[in-house]
């Protein structure tokens, strides 16, 4: 899959590296600001019981 993405990015090697870095940062931002806050209320971390 990474090879497919690398081949699809336009430009020279340096430009591809920058574009790949931007893609990685975009995915991380999407996870941190959209996906994780949406999933967090569904996780049982606040329901800790000791018995």
């Amino acid at each position: 899959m990474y090879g497919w993405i690398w081949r699809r990015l336009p430009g020279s090697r340096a430009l591809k590296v920058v574009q790949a870095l931007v893609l990685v940062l975009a995915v991380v931002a999407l996870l941190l600001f959209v996906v994780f806050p949406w999933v967090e209320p569904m996780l049982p971390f606040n329901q800790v019981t000791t018995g």
Side-chain angles (χ1 to χ4, degrees):
M1 179 175 178
Y2 299 115
W4 180 85
I5 293 171
W6 186 259
R7 287 189 302 272
R8 297 290 184 255
L9 292 174
S12 64
R13 180 180 297 258
L15 185 59
K16 286 183 179 187
V17 168
V18 171
Q19 291 172 351
L21 182 62
V22 168
L23 283 173
V24 167
L25 291 175
V27 168
V28 168
L30 180 70
L31 287 172
L32 285 175
F33 295 117
V34 177
V35 176
F36 293 155
W38 175 71
V39 171
E40 191 266 335
M42 299 177 219
L43 297 176
F45 294 134
N46 293 333
Q47 300 170 359
V48 178
T49 58
T50 58

